[in-house]
Amino acid sequence: MNTQEAHGGTGRRHRAPRLVAATGALALAFTGAAATPLHPAPAQARAAEDKQVLTVAVAQSVDSLSPFLAGRLVSTSIHRLMYEYLLNYDPKTNEPVPAFATAWEASEDKLTWTYTIRDDSKWSDGKQATAEDAAWTLGKMMSDDAAATANGSFVGNFESVSAPSKDKLVIKLKKPQATMTALDIPIVPKHVWEKVGDFSKFNNDQKFPIVGNGPYVLTDYKVDQYVKMEPNKDFWRGAPKFDELVFKYYKDGDAAVAALKKGEVSFVPNLTPAQAADLKNAGNIKVNDAPGRRFFALAVNPGAKARNGDKLGDGHESLLDQRVRNALFKAVDRDTIIDKVFQGHAVKGEGYIPPRYDKYFWKPSPEQELTFDIEAADKLLDEAGLKKKDGKRVDEDGEPIVYRVLCHATDPNDKAVGQYLEEWWGQLGIGMDLQCSDNVSDPWLAGTYDLAFDGWSVNPDPDFVLSIHTCDALPATKEDVGATDNFICDKKYDELYERQLAEYDPAKRADLVKQMQSHLYDLGYMNVMAYPNAVEAYRSDQIKSITTMPAEAGNIYGQDGYWSWWSAEPVASDEASSGDPDSTGVIIGIVAGVVVLVAVGAFMAVRRRSTADERE
């Protein structure tokens, strides 16, 4: 599941139930023991029994602590810490590495996959974690639509799932599926979750500590306040080094940056250009500016519907015309957005998958590209029959056209780009109502919007962010919640999606994925404006080392895995008092284990995700 809010996410994404990539500011802080304030000064933090607490200040609220329901990046990131997945991604290479499974193999006909489940993973209540837990988790998603809300696309092609022994998980497929080494599904303890009645209403937030087998155990949660976690001392890969991890909700990103400067916060991701420039001159602070895994886009309401044909919302009828959509996007100057809004901390948007994943990266041909051209855009609107009256484009009733654009109140990029769009579209006679809110989820899911700022964290295997535009991702009825991003349903796109999912040859699959991006681009329901960098900062007098992903220029927050928070090493009291900023650094990569693969060969190059981000 991918996981950002969708700006996210991977993943997961910039709105719920996602993204994408996460919006807002995030921070890490040392705090004292339970009797001390939540954000004491560093000296206080190292007092009180020398308890070291890493606090992550998030501008995104948790949508659910149930891994069957959660879509936002903050939620899915927490689930990566609570529960193991079958496989993980190596932080250096992005290749699959052992996690809950130590080995995996495919049958000769590619329809049966067998996973060997490790014997040294325990649930935090002391019970052994076995293949039966994995079989139950996947089987529940296959049999219960509510349990498939977040990650149902992963199991839609499964024929059956079984656990013939404690260490063997067997998945039989209806047809070959190229994503079997990238099933990013949290495995939950059967003996706990089989007691749940209605999965659509169970948020996993009433009884603490929550039983898991990941690197951290969730110990407390207050809605829109905090999530508290403690190290799982029995985690098979080794316990984290901090005594406690806290995700604390911050609505104001500037407040988190101010706390970083004071030494109350240790790490802040998703910095604005102004914040990053300011922090480069601050003492004991290092700024990480690396290519990101997100895209920043505009999504069009395509006439939102449920799978049963029921109409949702009230998207503007004019946007059903591809000429209108193309005109709007030809009136978007992406170079200006990169230069003026992101101030160089991003790359101009092309296709749906960021250039960080070069195997799948696609860009339109010069003839296909919707280049910035106000005059050409104006002609397209004329061809679409949108007449002008007193300089304003009007609908069939003679009313001026004003498009409602959903905007995340916590994301300054949304607001800044919105101002440019208002100017550019105004030259076409199109009005814009920028609707910035802390909660874009409700109008988005209801289809009561015309366009929306969107974004996702893309995973090493892009299948998840491709799946959210299929007809199967739509909600079953208008009362349900689907996995769709913005209600796209197109027959040709679905056919290409099914072909790439069944293609085990890496080069052939990559070509199909590029064809999907080309068709999505031509449909005009999604305009990728930028690929933002991961711009982050941390206090070098508090964080001694932390893992980036990928190794050579990678991000710290929003990774495909738990490497950053699991590996984070605090600066010892004597090191911190020396004030030597050069005593700290970033760990590049991790030796994650040996991958054992039988009879799959080159198919291992194909992986699937988010989030997010993830959804991420």
Side-chain angles (χ1 to χ4, degrees):
M1 85 172 259
N2 246 326
T3 191
Q4 117 350 50
E5 274 203 351
H7 262 357
T10 171
R12 309 201 186 220
R13 78 195 210 198
H14 210 57
R15 69 170 179 88
R18 24 230 219 36
L19 355 107
V20 174
T23 51
L26 260 267
L28 303 172
F30 286 100
T31 65
T36 66
L38 188 58
H39 290 294
Q44 293 173 297
R46 295 181 179 92
E49 303 176 2
D50 290 326
K51 185 177 182 180
Q52 293 173 311
V53 180
L54 193 60
T55 299
V56 181
V58 295
Q60 186 183 57
S61 59
V62 172
D63 53 342
S64 177
L65 288 179
S66 166
F68 296 98
L69 300 178
R72 295 181 182 174
L73 180 59
V74 64
S75 309
T76 56
S77 296
I78 290 169
H79 289 141
R80 283 186 177 273
L81 301 171
M82 295 169 63
Y83 306 106
E84 272 280 43
Y85 295 6
L86 286 175
L87 305 179
N88 209 328
Y89 301 103
D90 184 276
K92 288 183 76 172
T93 66
N94 278 332
E95 293 296 322
V97 294
F100 194 40
T102 60
W104 48 96
E105 61 179 336
S107 60
E108 189 172 345
D109 65 2
K110 307 173 188 176
L111 293 176
T112 300
W113 284 75
T114 302
Y115 300 81
T116 301
I117 303 302
R118 63 176 57 257
D119 61 6
D120 58 351
S121 178
K122 288 184 179 181
W123 297 112
S124 52
D125 61 3
K127 297 182 183 295
Q128 184 177 355
T130 70
E132 187 176 359
D133 296 299
W136 186 89
T137 300
L138 301 177
K140 188 65 178 178
M141 293 169 58
M142 294 168 63
S143 63
D144 187 329
D145 287 343
T149 299
N151 295 309
S153 62
F154 288 106
V155 302
N157 183 43
F158 288 9
E159 182 71 41
S160 66
V161 179
S162 63
S165 64
K166 288 185 177 182
D167 67 344
K168 294 296 180 185
L169 173 71
V170 178
I171 300 176
K172 293 185 181 295
L173 305 174
K174 299 173 185 176
K175 54 189 174 183
Q177 180 170 322
T179 61
M180 296 303 289
T181 59
L183 299 176
D184 292 350
I185 302 170
I187 303 301
V188 303
K190 175 186 175 182
H191 66 280
V192 173
W193 283 83
E194 64 183 353
K195 301 172 185 177
V196 174
D198 188 345
F199 273 66
S200 68
K201 298 179 180 178
F202 182 72
N203 281 314
N204 197 27
D205 58 3
Q206 298 300 311
K207 185 177 180 180
F208 303 100
I210 295 175
V211 179
N213 65 338
Y216 285 92
V217 177
L218 198 151
T219 57
D220 195 11
Y221 168 60
K222 297 293 183 186
V223 176
D224 287 345
Q225 294 185 45
Y226 61 78
V227 172
K228 294 184 179 181
M229 312 184 81
E230 294 182 1
N232 179 0
K233 300 188 183 305
D234 293 325
F235 184 53
W236 68 271
R237 203 185 288 274
K241 300 175 180 65
F242 279 87
D243 298 313
E244 189 174 46
L245 174 63
V246 178
F247 291 83
K248 187 175 187 299
Y249 180 70
Y250 273 72
K251 186 175 181 179
D252 185 0
D254 286 334
V257 172
L260 182 75
K261 285 183 169 184
K262 296 176 184 177
E264 299 171 348
V265 208
S266 300
F267 180 93
V268 179
N270 301 319
L271 298 172
T272 66
Q275 290 169 341
D278 180 49
L279 289 175
K280 283 182 179 178
N281 300 318
N284 292 318
I285 292 176
K286 292 186 178 182
V287 175
N288 179 45
D289 189 351
R293 53 186 282 252
R294 295 197 301 114
F295 63 77
F296 178 83
L298 266 178
V300 175
N301 185 334
K305 294 181 180 180
R307 285 204 305 273
N308 66 359
D310 288 347
K311 182 179 178 180
L312 287 90
D314 55 1
H316 203 287
E317 291 290 327
S318 64
L319 293 172
L320 300 180
D321 191 319
Q322 184 175 345
R323 293 168 297 185
V324 175
R325 301 193 297 268
N326 286 350
L328 293 178
F329 293 152
K330 284 189 74 67
V332 175
D333 187 348
R334 289 170 293 164
D335 289 320
T336 293
I337 290 173
I338 298 302
D339 182 45
K340 300 297 185 181
V341 177
F342 290 97
Q343 297 182 30
H345 298 282
V347 177
K348 184 173 74 170
E350 306 275 9
Y352 188 60
I353 297 174
R356 169 164 162 172
Y357 304 111
D358 56 352
K359 179 166 61 175
Y360 298 110
F361 178 64
W362 170 88
K363 60 192 303 183
S365 66
E367 299 77 20
Q368 185 182 18
E369 185 177 6
L370 297 172
T371 55
F372 181 60
D373 189 331
I374 294 291
E375 183 177 347
D378 211 43
K379 290 180 179 179
L380 280 173
L381 293 180
D382 288 339
E383 293 174 10
L386 297 189
K387 298 179 180 180
K388 277 187 177 180
K389 180 180 179 181
D390 299 328
K392 304 292 184 183
R393 297 280 176 178
V394 296
D395 59 22
E396 294 180 351
D397 298 325
E399 295 296 323
I401 294 176
V402 179
Y403 292 131
R404 300 160 299 168
V405 180
L406 290 181
C407 157
H408 301 79
T410 55
D411 193 328
N413 292 328
D414 284 10
K415 299 175 185 177
V417 173
Q419 293 176 354
Y420 280 105
L421 293 179
E422 187 172 20
E423 174 188 341
W424 294 327
W425 293 354
Q427 296 178 47
L428 302 175
I430 296 290
M432 189 184 74
D433 177 14
L434 190 63
Q435 299 183 348
C436 295
S437 170
D438 291 335
N439 175 21
V440 300
S441 299
D442 289 346
W444 197 313
L445 294 173
T448 53
Y449 68 99
D450 299 318
L451 297 100
F453 286 102
D454 194 10
W456 284 83
S457 293
V458 180
N459 303 88
D461 186 293
D463 180 74
F464 181 82
V465 292
L466 298 174
S467 74
I468 59 179
H469 296 307
T470 62
C471 299
D472 283 345
L474 296 175
T477 71
K478 61 183 181 181
E479 284 77 27
D480 296 310
V481 175
T484 186
D485 180 28
N486 62 313
F487 299 97
I488 294 175
C489 178
D490 178 80
K491 182 178 179 181
K492 180 179 178 180
Y493 182 89
D494 277 17
E495 290 173 350
L496 288 169
Y497 175 77
E498 292 299 327
R499 288 174 60 191
Q500 69 82 29
L501 185 61
E503 181 56 70
Y504 277 47
D505 181 276
K508 291 180 180 179
R509 182 174 181 236
D511 181 65
L512 288 168
V513 170
K514 291 176 183 178
Q515 291 182 48
M516 294 177 67
Q517 295 179 77
S518 177
H519 185 59
L520 188 63
Y521 187 92
D522 289 340
L523 287 174
Y525 292 124
M526 179 75 66
N527 181 262
V528 176
M529 296 179 286
Y531 308 115
N533 286 3
V535 186
E536 314 163 310
Y538 66 93
R539 290 202 63 93
S540 57
D541 58 350
Q542 294 186 9
I543 297 178
K544 183 174 184 178
S545 61
I546 193 166
T547 301
T548 62
M549 183 180 185
E552 295 181 358
N555 52 295
I556 294 173
Y557 178 75
Q559 298 177 359
D560 293 293
Y562 42 63
W563 307 115
S564 53
W565 310 137
W566 170 74
S567 71
E569 184 176 354
V571 174
S573 298
D574 55 348
E575 293 177 296
S577 62
S578 70
D580 180 10
D582 296 324
S583 66
T584 65
V586 176
I587 295 179
I588 305 300
I590 263 185
V591 178
V594 178
V595 178
V596 181
L597 175 61
V598 182
V600 182
F603 306 146
M604 283 304 301
V606 189
R607 305 169 302 279
R608 152 176 185 158
R609 144 59 173 161
S610 212
T611 55
D613 189 229
E614 47 70 86
R615 310 164 181 167
E616 299 182 351

